[in-house]
Amino acid sequence: MKKMRPFSTLAAVVTSFSSTAVLAVDYERDIQPILKDHCFKCHSGPKAKRKVRYDNVRYFKEVIGTHEDAVVVPGDPERSKMYKLSSLPPTSTDAMPPPRRGEPLNSAEKALIRKWIEEGASFESKPEDAPSTTPTSEPDSNKVHTWSNTDGKTLEAAFVAATATMVTLRKEDGSEFNYPVAKLSAESRKLAADLAK
Ligand code: HEC
């Protein structure tokens, strides 16, 4: 059975979460520079190969999802061609960049792309010190979001439900707790409203 936590324990939850946290991948800061260095040459502008355009988020988003043309499946790097192809041995004919046509990604760059996809392939900018849990490939309903409160504290939790006054969130260990909407930052209030739709 899932245990409901009174929100008065959130402070303790926040502290214990932050201590195990690692930095979340930020698209603009971490991913875009990699794509720019290694992929833009052939994947930008209207003539982009296979219509995969990394130079423009609007077009990039069109190839993100679970549809046939998708090259990024949020939460699932192993099914994401963007990750699969760029982590092939550089001599493989399917490798991206194609053999001898560009600088292959190094292991740190591959790891960042993998983590970005695992974290949901989001374009939302994350605060410098936003913590994130160890990446998992859980279904979307288990997607972990970063929540912040009016004191500027953050925690990672999946969204369960929201009323006009309370949000119910689920921690990594599966336990659920309620938190007053009024104590959330404006950004997190908006996130809760969007997720409740
Ligand atoms: C020198 C040009 C070049 C560079 C650089 C390049 N690509 Fe490509 N890419 C191509 C071509 C050509 C195709 C089409 C391949 C085909 O049709 O088999 C392609 C196709 C793709 C596809 C779609 C595959 C499919 O089957 O739908 C993905 C994903 C991709 N590239 C990712 C990347 C990534 C990620 C990078 C950077 C790490 C990159 N590419 C760098 C030329 C390039």
Side-chain angles (χ1 to χ4, degrees):
M1 269 305 282
K2 282 167 182 173
K3 192 167 69 193
M4 292 298 277
R5 275 173 186 273
F7 61 74
S8 55
T9 64
L10 186 76
V13 171
V14 168
T15 320
S16 64
F17 259 54
S18 307
S19 55
T20 56
V22 292
L23 207 62
V25 178
D26 182 281
Y27 176 75
E28 253 181 62
R29 183 191 62 210
D30 305 316
I31 303 300
Q32 205 180 40
I34 301 175
L35 300 178
K36 203 169 183 175
D37 284 356
H38 299 271
C39 322
F40 271 26
K41 192 167 87 182
C42 308
H43 293 286
S44 62
K47 288 191 176 153
K49 300 292 180 202
R50 280 289 170 100
K51 301 209 175 81
V52 178
R53 282 189 66 170
Y54 295 126
D55 59 322
N56 180 312
V57 168
R58 194 168 66 108
Y59 290 108
F60 190 3
K61 280 183 178 167
E62 288 177 7
V63 293
I64 296 181
T66 50
H67 53 285
E68 206 185 318
D69 294 334
V71 299
V72 172
V73 181
D76 198 345
E78 295 304 332
R79 279 172 60 213
S80 300
K81 280 189 198 163
M82 175 175 152
Y83 172 72
K84 292 275 279 186
L85 300 181
S86 58
S87 58
L88 286 171
T91 49
S92 159
T93 41
D94 292 332
M96 285 295 147
R100 295 177 305 279
R101 303 278 314 280
E103 187 66 29
L105 302 194
N106 65 33
S107 48
E109 291 165 332
K110 286 179 216 166
L112 275 170
I113 289 188
R114 187 185 172 93
K115 189 157 181 273
W116 177 67
I117 295 174
E118 280 173 338
E119 288 179 347
S122 146
F123 294 91
E124 253 167 69
S125 169
K126 310 227 168 62
E128 267 308 302
D129 58 352
S132 101
T133 50
T134 331
T136 52
S137 33
E138 288 167 325
D140 257 356
S141 59
N142 287 333
K143 191 171 181 287
V144 171
H145 299 274
T146 302
W147 302 90
S148 53
N149 67 9
T150 47
D151 297 330
K153 292 216 168 88
T154 59
L155 94 137
E156 297 286 317
F159 176 78
V160 179
T163 66
T165 54
M166 275 303 169
V167 287
T168 307
L169 303 177
R170 184 169 54 245
K171 289 202 301 161
E172 205 179 17
D173 66 8
S175 62
E176 297 183 359
F177 62 96
N178 290 331
Y179 195 72
V181 170
K183 290 214 67 188
L184 290 174
S185 68
E187 202 185 4
S188 289
R189 251 178 280 159
K190 184 176 176 302
L191 177 63
D194 288 344
L195 291 168
K197 272 179 200 157

Coordinates of all heavy atoms in Angstrom, one line a residue, residues 34-43 48-52 54 63 68-72 80-87 93-105 113, ligand 1:
I34 N 26.6 19.9 -28.7 CA 27.0 18.6 -29.3 C 26.5 18.5 -30.7 O 27.2 18.1 -31.6 CB 26.6 17.4 -28.4 CG1 27.1 17.5 -27.0 CG2 27.0 16.1 -29.1 CD1 26.6 16.4 -26.1
L35 N 25.2 18.7 -30.8 CA 24.6 18.6 -32.1 C 25.2 19.6 -33.1 O 25.4 19.3 -34.3 CB 23.1 18.8 -32.0 CG 22.3 17.8 -31.1 CD1 20.9 18.1 -31.0 CD2 22.5 16.4 -31.6
K36 N 25.5 20.8 -32.6 CA 26.0 21.8 -33.4 C 27.4 21.4 -34.0 O 27.7 21.5 -35.1 CB 26.2 23.1 -32.5 CG 26.3 24.3 -33.3 CD 26.2 25.5 -32.4 CE 26.2 26.8 -33.1 NZ 25.9 28.0 -32.3
D37 N 28.2 20.8 -33.1 CA 29.6 20.4 -33.5 C 29.5 19.2 -34.4 O 30.4 19.1 -35.3 CB 30.4 20.0 -32.3 CG 30.9 21.2 -31.5 OD1 30.6 22.4 -31.9 OD2 31.5 21.0 -30.4
H38 N 28.6 18.3 -34.2 CA 28.7 17.0 -34.9 C 27.7 16.7 -35.9 O 27.8 15.8 -36.7 CB 28.7 15.8 -33.8 CG 29.8 15.9 -32.8 ND1 31.0 15.2 -33.1 CD2 29.9 16.5 -31.6 CE1 31.8 15.4 -32.0 NE2 31.1 16.2 -31.1
C39 N 26.6 17.4 -35.8 CA 25.4 17.0 -36.7 C 24.8 18.1 -37.5 O 24.3 17.8 -38.6 CB 24.3 16.5 -35.8 SG 24.8 15.5 -34.4
F40 N 25.0 19.4 -37.1 CA 24.4 20.5 -37.9 C 24.8 20.5 -39.3 O 24.0 20.9 -40.2 CB 24.7 21.9 -37.2 CG 23.8 22.3 -36.1 CD1 23.1 21.4 -35.4 CD2 23.7 23.6 -35.8 CE1 22.2 21.8 -34.4 CE2 22.8 24.1 -34.8 CZ 22.1 23.2 -34.1
K41 N 26.0 20.1 -39.6 CA 26.5 20.2 -41.0 C 25.5 19.6 -41.9 O 25.3 20.1 -43.0 CB 27.9 19.5 -41.0 CG 28.6 19.7 -42.3 CD 30.1 19.2 -42.2 CE 30.1 17.8 -42.6 NZ 31.5 17.2 -42.4
C42 N 24.9 18.5 -41.6 CA 24.0 17.8 -42.4 C 22.6 17.8 -41.9 O 21.6 17.4 -42.7 CB 24.4 16.3 -42.6 SG 26.1 16.1 -43.1
H43 N 22.3 18.2 -40.7 CA 21.0 18.1 -40.1 C 20.5 19.5 -39.7 O 20.1 19.7 -38.6 CB 20.9 17.2 -39.0 CG 21.1 15.7 -39.4 ND1 20.1 15.0 -40.1 CD2 22.2 14.9 -39.3 CE1 20.6 13.8 -40.3 NE2 21.8 13.7 -39.8
A48 N 18.0 19.5 -44.7 CA 18.5 18.6 -43.7 C 18.3 17.1 -44.1 O 17.2 16.8 -44.7 CB 17.9 18.8 -42.3
K49 N 19.3 16.2 -43.9 CA 19.1 14.8 -44.3 C 18.0 14.2 -43.5 O 17.8 14.4 -42.3 CB 20.4 14.1 -43.9 CG 21.7 14.6 -44.6 CD 21.7 14.3 -46.1 CE 22.9 14.9 -46.7 NZ 22.8 15.2 -48.1
R50 N 17.2 13.4 -44.3 CA 16.0 12.7 -43.8 C 15.1 13.6 -43.0 O 14.4 13.2 -42.1 CB 16.5 11.6 -42.8 CG 17.0 10.3 -43.5 CD 15.8 9.6 -44.1 NE 16.2 8.5 -45.0 CZ 16.2 7.3 -44.6 NH1 15.9 6.9 -43.4 NH2 16.6 6.4 -45.5
K51 N 15.1 14.9 -43.3 CA 14.2 15.9 -42.6 C 14.5 15.9 -41.1 O 13.6 16.3 -40.3 CB 12.8 15.6 -42.9 CG 12.4 15.7 -44.4 CD 10.9 16.1 -44.5 CE 10.6 16.3 -46.0 NZ 10.2 15.1 -46.7
V52 N 15.7 15.5 -40.7 CA 16.0 15.6 -39.3 C 16.7 16.9 -39.1 O 17.9 17.0 -39.5 CB 16.9 14.4 -38.8 CG1 17.2 14.5 -37.3 CG2 16.1 13.1 -39.0
Y54 N 18.1 19.5 -36.5 CA 18.5 19.8 -35.1 C 18.7 21.3 -34.8 O 18.8 21.6 -33.6 CB 19.8 19.1 -34.7 CG 19.7 17.6 -34.8 CD1 20.6 16.8 -35.5 CD2 18.7 16.9 -34.0 CE1 20.5 15.4 -35.6 CE2 18.6 15.5 -34.1 CZ 19.5 14.8 -34.9 OH 19.4 13.4 -34.9
V63 N 10.3 15.1 -34.8 CA 10.9 13.8 -34.9 C 11.1 13.2 -33.5 O 11.9 12.3 -33.3 CB 12.2 13.7 -35.8 CG1 11.9 14.0 -37.2 CG2 13.3 14.7 -35.2
E68 N 6.4 6.7 -36.5 CA 7.3 6.0 -37.4 C 8.6 6.7 -37.7 O 9.6 6.2 -37.8 CB 6.5 5.7 -38.7 CG 7.0 4.5 -39.4 CD 6.3 4.4 -40.8 OE1 5.1 4.6 -40.8 OE2 7.0 4.1 -41.8
D69 N 8.4 8.1 -37.9 CA 9.6 8.8 -38.3 C 10.4 9.3 -37.1 O 11.4 10.0 -37.3 CB 9.1 10.1 -39.1 CG 8.6 9.7 -40.4 OD1 8.9 8.6 -40.9 OD2 7.7 10.4 -40.9
A70 N 10.0 9.0 -35.9 CA 10.6 9.6 -34.7 C 12.1 9.0 -34.6 O 12.3 7.9 -34.9 CB 9.9 9.2 -33.5
V71 N 13.0 9.9 -34.3 CA 14.4 9.5 -34.1 C 14.7 9.6 -32.6 O 15.8 9.1 -32.2 CB 15.4 10.3 -34.9 CG1 15.1 10.1 -36.4 CG2 15.4 11.7 -34.6
V72 N 13.8 10.2 -31.8 CA 14.0 10.2 -30.4 C 12.7 9.7 -29.7 O 11.6 10.3 -30.0 CB 14.3 11.7 -29.9 CG1 14.3 11.7 -28.3 CG2 15.7 12.1 -30.4
S80 N 15.9 5.0 -29.7 CA 16.0 6.3 -30.3 C 17.2 6.3 -31.3 O 18.3 6.1 -30.9 CB 16.3 7.4 -29.2 OG 15.3 7.4 -28.3
K81 N 16.9 6.4 -32.6 CA 17.9 6.4 -33.6 C 19.0 7.5 -33.4 O 20.1 7.3 -33.7 CB 17.3 6.6 -35.0 CG 16.7 5.4 -35.5 CD 16.3 5.6 -37.0 CE 15.3 4.6 -37.4 NZ 14.6 5.0 -38.7
M82 N 18.5 8.6 -32.9 CA 19.5 9.7 -32.6 C 20.6 9.2 -31.7 O 21.8 9.4 -32.0 CB 18.8 10.9 -32.0 CG 19.8 12.0 -31.6 SD 18.9 13.4 -31.0 CE 20.2 14.1 -29.9
Y83 N 20.3 8.4 -30.7 CA 21.3 7.9 -29.8 C 22.0 6.6 -30.4 O 23.2 6.5 -30.4 CB 20.7 7.5 -28.4 CG 21.7 6.8 -27.5 CD1 22.7 7.5 -27.0 CD2 21.5 5.4 -27.3 CE1 23.7 6.8 -26.2 CE2 22.5 4.7 -26.5 CZ 23.5 5.4 -26.0 OH 24.5 4.8 -25.2
K84 N 21.1 5.7 -30.9 CA 21.7 4.4 -31.4 C 22.7 4.7 -32.5 O 23.8 4.1 -32.5 CB 20.5 3.6 -32.0 CG 19.5 3.1 -31.0 CD 20.0 1.8 -30.4 CE 19.7 0.6 -31.3 NZ 20.0 -0.6 -30.6
L85 N 22.4 5.5 -33.5 CA 23.3 5.7 -34.6 C 24.5 6.5 -34.2 O 25.6 6.2 -34.7 CB 22.5 6.5 -35.8 CG 21.3 5.8 -36.3 CD1 20.7 6.6 -37.4 CD2 21.6 4.4 -36.8
S86 N 24.4 7.4 -33.3 CA 25.6 8.2 -32.9 C 26.4 7.4 -31.9 O 27.5 7.9 -31.5 CB 25.2 9.6 -32.4 OG 24.3 9.5 -31.3
S87 N 26.0 6.3 -31.4 CA 26.8 5.5 -30.5 C 27.3 4.2 -31.2 O 27.9 3.4 -30.5 CB 26.1 5.2 -29.2 OG 24.9 4.5 -29.4
T93 N 28.7 1.5 -41.2 CA 28.1 2.3 -42.3 C 26.9 3.1 -41.9 O 26.6 4.1 -42.5 CB 27.7 1.4 -43.5 OG1 27.1 0.2 -42.9 CG2 28.9 1.0 -44.3
D94 N 26.2 2.7 -40.8 CA 25.0 3.4 -40.3 C 25.4 4.5 -39.3 O 24.5 5.2 -38.9 CB 24.1 2.4 -39.7 CG 23.4 1.5 -40.7 OD1 23.3 1.8 -41.8 OD2 23.1 0.3 -40.3
A95 N 26.6 4.6 -38.9 CA 27.0 5.5 -37.8 C 26.7 6.9 -38.2 O 26.7 7.3 -39.4 CB 28.5 5.3 -37.5
M96 N 26.4 7.7 -37.2 CA 26.2 9.2 -37.3 C 27.2 9.9 -36.4 O 27.2 9.5 -35.2 CB 24.8 9.6 -37.0 CG 23.7 9.3 -38.0 SD 24.0 10.2 -39.5 CE 23.5 9.0 -40.8
P97 N 28.0 10.8 -36.9 CA 28.1 11.2 -38.3 C 28.6 10.0 -39.1 O 29.3 9.1 -38.6 CB 29.1 12.3 -38.3 CG 29.6 12.5 -36.9 CD 28.8 11.6 -36.1
P98 N 28.2 10.0 -40.5 CA 28.7 8.8 -41.3 C 30.2 8.7 -41.3 O 30.9 9.7 -41.1 CB 28.2 9.2 -42.7 CG 27.1 10.2 -42.5 CD 27.4 10.9 -41.2
P99 N 30.7 7.5 -41.4 CA 32.2 7.3 -41.4 C 33.0 8.3 -42.2 O 32.6 8.6 -43.3 CB 32.4 5.9 -42.0 CG 31.0 5.2 -41.8 CD 30.0 6.3 -41.8
R100 N 34.0 8.9 -41.6 CA 34.9 9.9 -42.1 C 34.2 11.2 -42.6 O 34.8 12.0 -43.3 CB 35.7 9.3 -43.3 CG 36.6 8.2 -42.9 CD 37.3 7.5 -44.1 NE 36.4 7.1 -45.1 CZ 35.7 5.9 -45.0 NH1 35.9 5.1 -44.0 NH2 34.9 5.6 -46.0
R101 N 32.9 11.4 -42.3 CA 32.2 12.6 -42.7 C 32.0 13.5 -41.6 O 31.4 14.6 -41.7 CB 30.8 12.2 -43.3 CG 30.8 11.2 -44.5 CD 31.2 11.9 -45.8 NE 30.4 13.1 -46.0 CZ 29.1 13.2 -46.4 NH1 28.5 12.1 -46.6 NH2 28.5 14.3 -46.5
G102 N 32.6 13.2 -40.4 CA 32.4 14.1 -39.3 C 33.1 13.5 -38.1 O 33.5 12.3 -38.1
E103 N 33.2 14.3 -37.0 CA 33.9 13.8 -35.8 C 32.9 13.0 -35.0 O 31.9 13.5 -34.6 CB 34.3 15.1 -35.0 CG 35.2 14.9 -33.8 CD 36.5 14.3 -34.1 OE1 37.0 14.5 -35.2 OE2 37.0 13.6 -33.3
P104 N 33.2 11.7 -34.7 CA 32.3 10.9 -33.9 C 32.2 11.5 -32.5 O 33.1 12.2 -32.0 CB 33.0 9.5 -33.8 CG 34.0 9.5 -34.8 CD 34.4 11.0 -35.1
L105 N 31.1 11.2 -31.8 CA 30.9 11.7 -30.4 C 31.8 10.9 -29.5 O 32.1 9.8 -29.7 CB 29.4 11.4 -30.0 CG 28.3 12.0 -30.8 CD1 27.0 11.8 -29.9 CD2 28.5 13.4 -31.2
I113 N 23.7 12.6 -24.3 CA 22.5 12.4 -25.1 C 21.6 11.3 -24.6 O 20.4 11.4 -24.5 CB 23.0 12.1 -26.6 CG1 23.6 13.4 -27.2 CG2 21.8 11.5 -27.4 CD1 23.9 13.3 -28.6
Ligands
HEC1 C1 28.1 14.4 -43.1 C2 26.7 14.4 -43.0 C3 26.0 14.0 -41.7 C4 26.4 14.3 -40.4 C5 27.5 15.1 -39.9 C6 25.4 13.6 -39.6 N1 24.5 13.0 -40.4 FE1 22.8 12.0 -39.7 N2 22.3 11.6 -41.6 C7 23.1 11.8 -42.7 C8 22.5 11.2 -43.9 C9 23.0 11.3 -45.3 C10 21.3 10.5 -43.4 C11 20.4 9.6 -44.3 C12 20.9 8.3 -44.1 C13 20.1 7.3 -44.9 O1 19.2 7.6 -45.6 O2 20.5 6.1 -44.8 C14 21.2 10.8 -42.0 C15 20.2 10.3 -41.2 C16 20.2 10.5 -39.9 C17 19.1 10.0 -39.0 C18 17.8 9.4 -39.5 C19 18.0 7.9 -39.7 C20 16.7 7.3 -40.1 O3 16.7 6.2 -40.6 O4 15.6 7.9 -40.1 C21 19.4 10.3 -37.7 C22 18.7 10.0 -36.5 C23 20.7 11.0 -37.8 N3 21.1 11.1 -39.1 C24 21.4 11.5 -36.7 C25 22.5 12.2 -36.7 C26 23.2 12.7 -35.5 C27 22.7 12.5 -34.1 C28 24.3 13.3 -36.0 C29 25.4 13.9 -35.1 C30 25.9 13.2 -34.1 C31 24.4 13.2 -37.4 N4 23.3 12.5 -37.8 C32 25.4 13.7 -38.2 C33 24.2 12.6 -42.8 C34 24.8 13.1 -41.7

